[in-house]
Amino acid sequence: MASRTEPSGCSGRGGGGGAAPGILPLPLLLLLLAAAALIPRGGGQNLVTEDVTVVEGEVATISCRVKNSDDSVIQLLNPNRQTIYFKDFRPLKDSRFQLVNFSNSELRVSLTNVSISDEGRYFCQLYTDPPQEIYTTMTVLVPPRNLMIDIQKDIATEGEEIELNCTAMASRPATTIRWFKGNKELPGKSEVEQWSDMFTVTSQLLLTVGREDDGVPVICLVDHPAVKDLQTQRYLEVMYKPQVRVLQNYPLQGLTREGEPLELTCTAFGKPQPTEVKWLRVDDEMPQHVVVSGSNLLINNLNKTDNGTYRCEASNAVGKSSADYMLFVYDTTATTEPAVHDSRAGDEGSIRAVDHAVIGGVVAVVVFAMLCLLIILGRYFARHKGTYFTHEAKGADDAADADTAIINAEGGQNNSEEKKEYFI
């Protein structure tokens, strides 16, 4: 029987230096592994998709795209990893999913009437070796419902602070509420409540109202990614005291002179409209010849005794206000520019009108008096200047010549010495 001779160095027995039958040498194995790592996965194909944001009830579109496609199979799975579409076939029995486009490089599917339960991750799979998978996240937005303003008092009074609350219910995510009075934005205070996956937001506004706010809209505006220009508004109704003015109907221009007529009209406006308008004379009785008819006051024949302040008062359910007219009757020959009668509304009183002619006269008198005082003082100081006498040559003024004057002067000195008195 012929025997087979094994080449030296190739036997698995004894030599210890050769490789076992069927096993690659280590350097060659490492080389093959490195080469395998350089081979593109899936033949160089890449899956691409984008996240989807959709408003509840609208249509969402999911797209699975392949770059460098080699006709590998594409499929789409829902968050429960159930197959929605395998190529162009729909195994899932949800008719809301419809095929929009299918090709070797894209699988595009639409989902109608989206609800919150549809939110989650959807998976795109590509059957390559090895398989590839990526996911897209669907986010469902829910706009706020039942936006409404609740006002503490339907009718407010001037100067009162009122509370308004605006509520945006069942939104996702939580909404932001902004307040406006007319075109001016106002700060509010918001609170957020969460119920399951939904949010309810309530914003509070504290507002001190004035008469200028009557009929002005207060607007509650919502900022939310699911809706634009969602707002509601309430019109303010503010009650306020009357505004009172006194108008001079006659004479329209010129002075109020003796013997001429004077006609005044009182206008009053408030909310509610004033129920009573009356005339009175401040600090004195109304002259008997003055005719008052409603809001009108008439004096047919002016005289000096009519001088004074005449007040018109008006009141309503909120309060009382007044305006004054200061009357000054001039002589028939007066040619001075007329005084300006300024009547203004007062709060439970009045702001008296200013007669500029009287003020001018008072100022002129004061200035004249000061000038006279300065002149008198000047003359007084001029006449009482200080005179100083030395008494060194007393009696020399009566001498006939210089020698006699010297003698008299010396005698004067002697006399002065004699008149000295000493006190011990």
Side-chain angles (χ1 to χ4, degrees), residues 93-229:
K93 295 180 179 180
D94 189 342
S95 60
R96 296 181 304 147
F97 290 98
Q98 295 294 323
L99 184 65
V100 177
N101 182 50
F102 172 74
S103 66
N104 293 332
S105 60
E106 182 184 37
L107 173 62
R108 192 190 313 166
V109 177
S110 66
L111 173 61
T112 59
N113 195 21
V114 176
S115 65
I116 296 178
S117 61
D118 296 320
E119 193 173 72
R121 291 182 175 180
Y122 288 77
F123 301 91
C124 297
Q125 289 185 345
L126 181 65
Y127 280 88
T128 56
D129 187 16
Q132 297 184 42
E133 180 180 287
I134 60 173
Y135 66 85
T136 175
T137 301
M138 180 183 295
T139 302
V140 180
L141 306 177
V142 181
R145 299 178 176 87
N146 300 328
L147 183 66
M148 58 183 179
I149 294 179
D150 178 40
I151 189 167
Q152 182 184 23
K153 296 181 69 174
D154 292 332
I155 301 176
T157 303
E158 179 182 18
E160 184 179 9
E161 184 181 69
I162 61 173
E163 177 182 331
L164 298 93
N165 290 281
C166 183
T167 304
M169 301 180 63
S171 66
R172 191 167 185 241
T175 189
T176 300
I177 294 178
R178 300 167 62 192
W179 288 99
F180 291 87
K181 185 180 73 172
N183 295 323
K184 181 181 179 182
E185 186 166 1
L186 303 175
K189 182 180 179 182
S190 294
E191 293 184 357
V192 180
E193 296 182 8
Q194 183 174 0
W195 301 89
S196 184
D197 294 333
M198 311 297 283
F199 298 88
T200 295
V201 180
T202 300
S203 180
Q204 181 190 69
L205 175 67
L206 296 178
L207 181 63
T208 301
V209 296
R211 64 181 61 198
E212 68 278 0
D213 296 322
D214 184 45
V216 175
V218 174
I219 301 169
C220 172
L221 178 67
V222 164
D223 280 342
H224 194 274
V227 66
K228 292 182 179 180
D229 300 326

Side-chain angles (χ1 to χ4, degrees), residues 77 88 94 104 112 164 197 228 243 272 277 282 309 413 415:
L77 287 75
D88 58 351
D94 189 342
N104 293 332
T112 59
L164 298 93
D197 294 333
K228 292 182 179 180
Q243 295 174 302
V277 176
V282 179
T309 301
Q413 291 291 334
N415 293 335

Side-chain angles (χ1 to χ4, degrees), residues 61 66 82 87 113 119 133 142 162 168 212 267 275 277 313 358 382 401:
T61 301
V66 182
Q82 298 171 324
K87 299 178 66 174
N113 195 21
E119 193 173 72
E133 180 180 287
V142 181
I162 61 173
E212 68 278 0
T267 63
T275 55
V277 176
E313 290 184 346
V358 174
D401 53 25

